[in-house]
Amino acid sequence: MTIIQTLIIAIVEGLTEFLPVSSTGHMIIAQSLLGIESTPFVKAFTIIIQFGAILSVVCLYWKRFFRLDHTPAPVGSTTTQKILHTWDFYWKLFVAFIPAVVFGFIAKVSGLIDKFLENVTIVAVMLVVGGIFMLFCDRLFNKGLENNKITNKRAFNIGLWQCLSLIPGTSRSMTTIVGGMAQKLTRRSAAEFSFFLAVPTMAAATGLDFIDLFKGDISWATADNMSMLALGSVVAFVVALLAMKWFVSFLNKYGFCAFGVYRIIVGGFILAWLLTGHSLVMVG
């Protein structure tokens, strides 16, 4: 990969990871249009730069991410309930994370994830289907209440919505935000919880890929390639940081419709590209 290719791929990753447009679909297009072959280093690059995107969430929301609830627990609470009250923020993330662990493990063991990832058509179709859904989801779910708190039940239900993103092209961001809105959260609250939930979810998925990566041939880990990885991670971090700040403001004002139209265009482009005899290669 050249420096220009490195920068473009990192920018695409940072821009699309937290927006409801499917980072997978965009990485397919970017890699193919740039003529980047799916080498062991490219696979490593696309996995490792995600850590930069994950770190951007922690950095942007560090005051809320590193917090404990020091308010008094309800009268009569047991010791366990008092502990959960103090660690409430992290407990809710754990509850929302559980469905992804269960369904992700089943999908991984059964080989469904690998089968989906080998089929670019599925990615394109899900981009279009998700885009059509997003044209109407504001009308269906835009009834959020500002004082609605994320309960254990709401957190778990959002986690169930997140499992839909196991299908490439669906978008983890879209499923979790819509899941939050379906639980009567506002667009802003749903988007921010989606960002928070991305940290354990992406960290776990990326970490597993990272372990698998280093079980194989690591001859790609040269000094030049490590420099490219560092550059890509920094760029993905900065771009993701800016993208999240813009996205929350835009979503709060205008909703999902624009993203729905955009997804339909991208998915339609991929399908048209495939139908005209061209090929697209899944990243990694």
Side-chain angles (χ1 to χ4, degrees), residues 30-87:
Q31 182 181 358
S32 295
L33 293 182
L34 291 172
I36 301 174
E37 296 182 9
S38 186
T39 63
F41 170 65
V42 171
K43 181 177 181 179
F45 183 84
T46 55
I47 291 173
I48 294 173
I49 63 173
Q50 290 185 65
F51 282 112
I54 296 171
L55 186 60
S56 68
V57 179
V58 179
C59 180
L60 182 61
Y61 291 98
W62 70 272
K63 287 185 178 180
R64 296 175 59 183
F65 203 86
F66 295 105
R67 67 179 182 186
L68 297 177
D69 190 342
H70 295 293
T71 61
V75 177
S77 297
T78 64
T79 301
T80 300
Q81 290 172 329
K82 289 179 180 179
I83 293 174
L84 292 179
H85 175 78
T86 301
W87 294 82

Side-chain angles (χ1 to χ4, degrees), residues 207-224:
L208 289 175
D209 287 339
F210 192 75
I211 292 173
D212 289 340
L213 182 68
F214 277 87
K215 285 181 179 178
D217 181 16
I218 58 171
S219 59
W220 53 265
T222 63
D224 288 342

Side-chain angles (χ1 to χ4, degrees), residues 6-19 21-23 25-31 34 49 235-236 239:
T6 298
L7 292 174
I8 292 175
I9 293 297
I11 289 172
V12 170
E13 164 63 24
L15 277 176
T16 61
E17 188 61 60
F18 298 106
L19 287 122
V21 295
S22 176
S23 60
H26 285 76
M27 295 290 270
I28 290 172
I29 295 175
Q31 182 181 358
L34 291 172
I49 63 173
V235 172
V239 174

